Amino acid sequence: VGIWFANADDTTGEGYFSEYLSRHHEYPALGGANGFDVAKMLIEYTPQQGTLNDYLHHIRNFRGASGDYGATSNNDFDIPAVIQIVKPDGFERLK
């Protein structure tokens, strides 16, 4: 309690966290949003976009649980981040 917590900013994304919370009445496990995004990427891939490897390296304007983002030239993704303070009853977003 009282420490900073850096994580993906889900406020611009698919609504994964709010949807999960409304269905299950608890937050998803750590990494759940990443699993959601990977599954969505694989579902949206079609062979017309080239190889799966090429597709994953050139994703742009992807809208997932972790926000709106795309692949970078460093073989990773540019996921928007947010800093929050851990509170006894949840998180407080820093402005």
Side-chain angles (χ1 to χ4, degrees), residues 52-74:
L52 177 59
N53 185 47
D54 189 53
Y55 165 73
L56 292 173
H57 281 86
H58 294 93
I59 289 177
R60 301 287 180 267
N61 303 315
F62 178 79
R63 186 173 190 90
S66 301
D68 296 337
Y69 60 96
T72 75
S73 60
N74 294 322

Side-chain angles (χ1 to χ4, degrees), residues 1 4-5 9-10 26 29 35 37 41-42 53 56 66 76 80 88:
V1 174
W4 284 21
F5 181 70
D9 183 1
D10 67 328
E26 64 183 10
D37 284 358
M41 287 176 189
L42 295 175
N53 185 47
L56 292 173
S66 301
D76 61 8

Side-chain angles (χ1 to χ4, degrees), residues 12-50:
T12 63
E14 283 280 312
Y16 170 79
F17 291 98
S18 59
E19 178 80 17
Y20 192 98
L21 190 57
S22 74
R23 285 185 184 197
H24 303 287
H25 308 290
E26 64 183 10
Y27 284 99
L30 188 61
N34 301 97
F36 177 91
D37 284 358
V38 168
K40 186 174 184 214
M41 287 176 189
L42 295 175
I43 290 166
E44 291 181 355
Y45 164 73
T46 64
Q48 291 84 357
Q49 295 163 307

Side-chain angles (χ1 to χ4, degrees), residues 71-90:
T72 75
S73 60
N74 294 322
N75 293 322
D76 61 8
F77 294 98
D78 187 19
I79 297 172
V82 65
I83 302 292
Q84 301 176 72
I85 297 175
V86 178
K87 298 289 185 173
D89 58 340

